[in-house]
Amino acid sequence: MTTLMPSTQISFDEAGFKTVLETRTEPSWLTELRQEAWKTFNELQWPNNRQEEWMRTDIRMFKLDKFALKSDSSSVGLPELVLSDGVDLAGSVSSLDSQAGSAAELAAEYQEKGVIFGTISDLIGQHGDLIKKYLFQAVDFKTDRFAALHAAMFTNSVFLYVPRNVVLDKPVHISSQLTDGGSDLRHTLIVIEEGAEATVLAESNSAAESNGFHCGAIELFVGDRANLRYVNLQDWGQKVWHFAHQKAIVGRDSNLQWTVGALGSKLAKVNQHVALRGDRANVQVNGAIFTENRQHLSYHTLQHHENPDCTSDFLYKSALQDNSRTVWRGMIEVDKVAQRTDGYQRNDNLILSDQARADSIPGLEIEADDVRCTHGSTSGRVDEELIFYAQCRGFTRKEAVRAVVTGFFQQVFDRITIESVREALALAIARRVRDYV
């Protein structure tokens, strides 16, 4: 567990890394993993726009030495959390600047069924072998320098384990918040064993003008015949740099519904990968992105079909106003053995200003010969006739634009089966819409 003294800040350098090792009580295998990741971090260079994956995302203004891990933060002035509002939860866990917030909670009835939920720091002493089996087995920390930094210095991370055939019939809530100048290196590890079910609501936010740095990872393991609904709402302040590697591994006859809401950050670069590893695995991913001012949000998705008879359905919708920009790069990859694949991906963009820009790059890599794979992308402006029609019926122009934007996202909202999530996401987007010029 972490033993940082009050007012301590840990920099992202050699001295800071040594402090992380010295102030944590962890098994030797995790220390060795951190050391290997730190070595990888020092060997790699920062990504640059000469690399295809980064050619549309410029991070030259990002300076790591401006950030540090803080331990003396206060939650005063931070926005309210929205996904858990009015929801009957099975448990919750929170963090502030990647340090522990309120203590992790899990209802006794689920603890008695063998469900494990809390921070990795608190659980690794008792459940080290189980955590070792899955930690960094989906996300590869050698992918780039951000992934290596995360693996070397991740703190206050979350572990959820639902044992075989156990149904976690109430959601658990995971939250992370940043103060001005704070850093967040949370790792989320979720394991749903064979025949089990769970719903996870995860959200992150900070004050609108807060500066900050997020470098995180999400690993989801969905066992055979298991079901997982995972909701991830990102609403950082518009001066936060947001980098993340996220991957799900989905087993035979299992179902994953992954909903993404991306509203915040100055610049975001997220890799969201799904591996359909078992026969007849089924994955649905729903993405809603809204950008304003000079935000730049880049999401790269991969649907990797590794076995036969699997289905993947990715739908991302983006609305952009002011001078903002989105980049969506989607790939369906089908291995030679993955016959009878059904893969779908779509990205639609609604442009709300002359200066906004949306880049969409869908792609297919198919080695099997018995597949059905489709992809597509659209970009367009708001139809002035729709606005005029609404105004003729008493709407102000702003109300009319909000109605049009809400209608644009409705297809995504309709796919979200959790009412509180659907309402929270719709309201958060509606609040950001300004008059369409």
Side-chain angles (χ1 to χ4, degrees), residues 336-356:
K336 189 173 183 178
V337 299
Q339 302 295 340
R340 298 172 299 281
T341 282
D342 187 350
Y344 174 80
Q345 62 176 208
R346 185 177 180 88
N347 174 229
D348 296 325
N349 303 291
L350 183 64
I351 311 299
L352 299 174
S353 79
D354 293 334
Q355 292 75 39

mmCIF file of all heavy atoms in Angstrom, residues 336-356:
data_model
loop_
_atom_site.group_PDB
_atom_site.id
_atom_site.type_symbol
_atom_site.label_atom_id
_atom_site.label_comp_id
_atom_site.label_asym_id
_atom_site.label_seq_id
_atom_site.Cartn_x
_atom_site.Cartn_y
_atom_site.Cartn_z
ATOM 1 N N LYS A 336 -7.474 -15.685 -39.972
ATOM 2 C CA LYS A 336 -7.831 -16.686 -40.984
ATOM 3 C C LYS A 336 -8.818 -17.721 -40.446
ATOM 4 O O LYS A 336 -9.701 -18.202 -41.170
ATOM 5 C CB LYS A 336 -6.566 -17.386 -41.483
ATOM 6 C CG LYS A 336 -6.790 -18.285 -42.679
ATOM 7 C CD LYS A 336 -5.471 -18.817 -43.227
ATOM 8 C CE LYS A 336 -5.696 -19.667 -44.470
ATOM 9 N NZ LYS A 336 -4.406 -20.162 -45.036
ATOM 10 N N VAL A 337 -8.700 -18.060 -39.159
ATOM 11 C CA VAL A 337 -9.588 -19.083 -38.584
ATOM 12 C C VAL A 337 -10.957 -18.523 -38.207
ATOM 13 O O VAL A 337 -11.870 -19.285 -37.886
ATOM 14 C CB VAL A 337 -8.944 -19.734 -37.340
ATOM 15 C CG1 VAL A 337 -7.637 -20.421 -37.711
ATOM 16 C CG2 VAL A 337 -8.728 -18.705 -36.245
ATOM 17 N N ALA A 338 -11.099 -17.199 -38.234
ATOM 18 C CA ALA A 338 -12.324 -16.566 -37.727
ATOM 19 C C ALA A 338 -13.411 -16.516 -38.804
ATOM 20 O O ALA A 338 -13.882 -15.442 -39.197
ATOM 21 C CB ALA A 338 -12.000 -15.170 -37.214
ATOM 22 N N GLN A 339 -13.813 -17.695 -39.255
ATOM 23 C CA GLN A 339 -14.865 -17.771 -40.276
ATOM 24 C C GLN A 339 -16.219 -17.377 -39.678
ATOM 25 O O GLN A 339 -16.420 -17.430 -38.478
ATOM 26 C CB GLN A 339 -14.934 -19.195 -40.845
ATOM 27 C CG GLN A 339 -13.633 -19.685 -41.462
ATOM 28 C CD GLN A 339 -13.228 -18.893 -42.701
ATOM 29 O OE1 GLN A 339 -14.053 -18.226 -43.331
ATOM 30 N NE2 GLN A 339 -11.950 -18.951 -43.050
ATOM 31 N N ARG A 340 -17.095 -16.949 -40.574
ATOM 32 C CA ARG A 340 -18.471 -16.532 -40.216
ATOM 33 C C ARG A 340 -18.462 -15.351 -39.236
ATOM 34 O O ARG A 340 -19.329 -15.223 -38.381
ATOM 35 C CB ARG A 340 -19.272 -17.711 -39.663
ATOM 36 C CG ARG A 340 -19.439 -18.845 -40.688
ATOM 37 C CD ARG A 340 -20.067 -20.066 -40.073
ATOM 38 N NE ARG A 340 -19.267 -20.621 -38.989
ATOM 39 C CZ ARG A 340 -18.185 -21.372 -39.159
ATOM 40 N NH1 ARG A 340 -17.760 -21.674 -40.384
ATOM 41 N NH2 ARG A 340 -17.531 -21.828 -38.108
ATOM 42 N N THR A 341 -17.482 -14.484 -39.407
ATOM 43 C CA THR A 341 -17.415 -13.242 -38.635
ATOM 44 C C THR A 341 -18.478 -12.267 -39.113
ATOM 45 O O THR A 341 -18.747 -12.152 -40.309
ATOM 46 C CB THR A 341 -16.012 -12.612 -38.786
ATOM 47 O OG1 THR A 341 -15.084 -13.308 -37.956
ATOM 48 C CG2 THR A 341 -16.021 -11.132 -38.426
ATOM 49 N N ASP A 342 -19.058 -11.549 -38.165
ATOM 50 C CA ASP A 342 -19.981 -10.455 -38.492
ATOM 51 C C ASP A 342 -19.454 -9.207 -37.780
ATOM 52 O O ASP A 342 -19.606 -9.054 -36.571
ATOM 53 C CB ASP A 342 -21.394 -10.797 -38.008
ATOM 54 C CG ASP A 342 -22.433 -9.771 -38.477
ATOM 55 O OD1 ASP A 342 -22.021 -8.711 -38.997
ATOM 56 O OD2 ASP A 342 -23.633 -10.029 -38.316
ATOM 57 N N GLY A 343 -18.826 -8.325 -38.536
ATOM 58 C CA GLY A 343 -18.217 -7.136 -37.955
ATOM 59 C C GLY A 343 -18.781 -5.864 -38.566
ATOM 60 O O GLY A 343 -18.969 -5.771 -39.785
ATOM 61 N N TYR A 344 -19.048 -4.885 -37.710
ATOM 62 C CA TYR A 344 -19.639 -3.617 -38.173
ATOM 63 C C TYR A 344 -18.991 -2.467 -37.428
ATOM 64 O O TYR A 344 -18.769 -2.534 -36.212
ATOM 65 C CB TYR A 344 -21.146 -3.625 -37.898
ATOM 66 C CG TYR A 344 -21.851 -2.317 -38.206
ATOM 67 C CD1 TYR A 344 -22.207 -1.982 -39.510
ATOM 68 C CD2 TYR A 344 -22.171 -1.426 -37.179
ATOM 69 C CE1 TYR A 344 -22.867 -0.783 -39.783
ATOM 70 C CE2 TYR A 344 -22.831 -0.236 -37.445
ATOM 71 C CZ TYR A 344 -23.178 0.086 -38.747
ATOM 72 O OH TYR A 344 -23.825 1.272 -39.024
ATOM 73 N N GLN A 345 -18.657 -1.404 -38.155
ATOM 74 C CA GLN A 345 -18.158 -0.201 -37.507
ATOM 75 C C GLN A 345 -18.668 1.025 -38.261
ATOM 76 O O GLN A 345 -18.748 1.030 -39.495
ATOM 77 C CB GLN A 345 -16.625 -0.171 -37.448
ATOM 78 C CG GLN A 345 -15.942 -0.164 -38.795
ATOM 79 C CD GLN A 345 -14.422 -0.028 -38.706
ATOM 80 O OE1 GLN A 345 -13.803 0.486 -39.604
ATOM 81 N NE2 GLN A 345 -13.831 -0.519 -37.630
ATOM 82 N N ARG A 346 -19.007 2.063 -37.503
ATOM 83 C CA ARG A 346 -19.530 3.279 -38.119
ATOM 84 C C ARG A 346 -19.157 4.484 -37.266
ATOM 85 O O ARG A 346 -19.179 4.429 -36.040
ATOM 86 C CB ARG A 346 -21.045 3.209 -38.265
ATOM 87 C CG ARG A 346 -21.651 4.405 -39.017
ATOM 88 C CD ARG A 346 -23.144 4.252 -39.202
ATOM 89 N NE ARG A 346 -23.694 5.396 -39.910
ATOM 90 C CZ ARG A 346 -23.786 5.502 -41.226
ATOM 91 N NH1 ARG A 346 -23.368 4.506 -41.982
ATOM 92 N NH2 ARG A 346 -24.295 6.579 -41.787
ATOM 93 N N ASN A 347 -18.812 5.566 -37.963
ATOM 94 C CA ASN A 347 -18.501 6.828 -37.303
ATOM 95 C C ASN A 347 -19.239 7.953 -38.022
ATOM 96 O O ASN A 347 -19.046 8.172 -39.213
ATOM 97 C CB ASN A 347 -16.988 7.082 -37.325
ATOM 98 C CG ASN A 347 -16.620 8.451 -36.784
ATOM 99 O OD1 ASN A 347 -15.849 9.185 -37.410
ATOM 100 N ND2 ASN A 347 -17.151 8.814 -35.641
ATOM 101 N N ASP A 348 -20.119 8.649 -37.302
ATOM 102 C CA ASP A 348 -20.862 9.781 -37.854
ATOM 103 C C ASP A 348 -20.444 11.053 -37.138
ATOM 104 O O ASP A 348 -20.278 11.067 -35.908
ATOM 105 C CB ASP A 348 -22.369 9.572 -37.683
ATOM 106 C CG ASP A 348 -22.886 8.379 -38.470
ATOM 107 O OD1 ASP A 348 -22.370 8.135 -39.571
ATOM 108 O OD2 ASP A 348 -23.804 7.698 -37.970
ATOM 109 N N ASN A 349 -20.296 12.136 -37.906
ATOM 110 C CA ASN A 349 -19.834 13.404 -37.348
ATOM 111 C C ASN A 349 -20.805 14.523 -37.710
ATOM 112 O O ASN A 349 -21.217 14.652 -38.868
ATOM 113 C CB ASN A 349 -18.451 13.748 -37.900
ATOM 114 C CG ASN A 349 -17.433 12.659 -37.619
ATOM 115 O OD1 ASN A 349 -17.053 12.437 -36.478
ATOM 116 N ND2 ASN A 349 -17.005 11.950 -38.661
ATOM 117 N N LEU A 350 -21.148 15.325 -36.697
ATOM 118 C CA LEU A 350 -22.011 16.488 -36.896
ATOM 119 C C LEU A 350 -21.172 17.732 -36.654
ATOM 120 O O LEU A 350 -20.709 17.977 -35.532
ATOM 121 C CB LEU A 350 -23.193 16.437 -35.919
ATOM 122 C CG LEU A 350 -24.234 17.554 -36.056
ATOM 123 C CD1 LEU A 350 -24.930 17.483 -37.412
ATOM 124 C CD2 LEU A 350 -25.254 17.469 -34.921
ATOM 125 N N ILE A 351 -20.962 18.521 -37.707
ATOM 126 C CA ILE A 351 -20.092 19.687 -37.651
ATOM 127 C C ILE A 351 -20.928 20.925 -37.312
ATOM 128 O O ILE A 351 -21.846 21.276 -38.058
ATOM 129 C CB ILE A 351 -19.352 19.891 -38.983
ATOM 130 C CG1 ILE A 351 -18.706 18.574 -39.453
ATOM 131 C CG2 ILE A 351 -18.309 20.987 -38.846
ATOM 132 C CD1 ILE A 351 -17.679 18.022 -38.510
ATOM 133 N N LEU A 352 -20.581 21.603 -36.222
ATOM 134 C CA LEU A 352 -21.373 22.726 -35.745
ATOM 135 C C LEU A 352 -20.695 24.076 -35.944
ATOM 136 O O LEU A 352 -21.172 25.086 -35.422
ATOM 137 C CB LEU A 352 -21.707 22.538 -34.261
ATOM 138 C CG LEU A 352 -22.524 21.283 -33.914
ATOM 139 C CD1 LEU A 352 -22.666 21.133 -32.414
ATOM 140 C CD2 LEU A 352 -23.892 21.344 -34.571
ATOM 141 N N SER A 353 -19.581 24.109 -36.658
ATOM 142 C CA SER A 353 -18.941 25.388 -36.971
ATOM 143 C C SER A 353 -18.068 25.217 -38.209
ATOM 144 O O SER A 353 -17.688 24.092 -38.578
ATOM 145 C CB SER A 353 -18.093 25.888 -35.801
ATOM 146 O OG SER A 353 -16.851 25.231 -35.753
ATOM 147 N N ASP A 354 -17.714 26.327 -38.822
ATOM 148 C CA ASP A 354 -16.874 26.283 -40.023
ATOM 149 C C ASP A 354 -15.441 25.895 -39.702
ATOM 150 O O ASP A 354 -14.708 25.452 -40.584
ATOM 151 C CB ASP A 354 -16.879 27.657 -40.715
ATOM 152 C CG ASP A 354 -18.229 28.013 -41.300
ATOM 153 O OD1 ASP A 354 -18.989 27.079 -41.625
ATOM 154 O OD2 ASP A 354 -18.534 29.218 -41.413
ATOM 155 N N GLN A 355 -15.027 26.067 -38.456
ATOM 156 C CA GLN A 355 -13.635 25.808 -38.094
ATOM 157 C C GLN A 355 -13.403 24.400 -37.542
ATOM 158 O O GLN A 355 -12.265 23.961 -37.421
ATOM 159 C CB GLN A 355 -13.164 26.833 -37.037
ATOM 160 C CG GLN A 355 -13.058 28.259 -37.554
ATOM 161 C CD GLN A 355 -14.407 28.923 -37.720
ATOM 162 O OE1 GLN A 355 -15.301 28.730 -36.877
ATOM 163 N NE2 GLN A 355 -14.577 29.694 -38.790
ATOM 164 N N ALA A 356 -14.453 23.689 -37.181
ATOM 165 C CA ALA A 356 -14.294 22.334 -36.624
ATOM 166 C C ALA A 356 -13.871 21.353 -37.714
ATOM 167 O O ALA A 356 -14.169 21.552 -38.897
ATOM 168 C CB ALA A 356 -15.591 21.877 -35.979
#
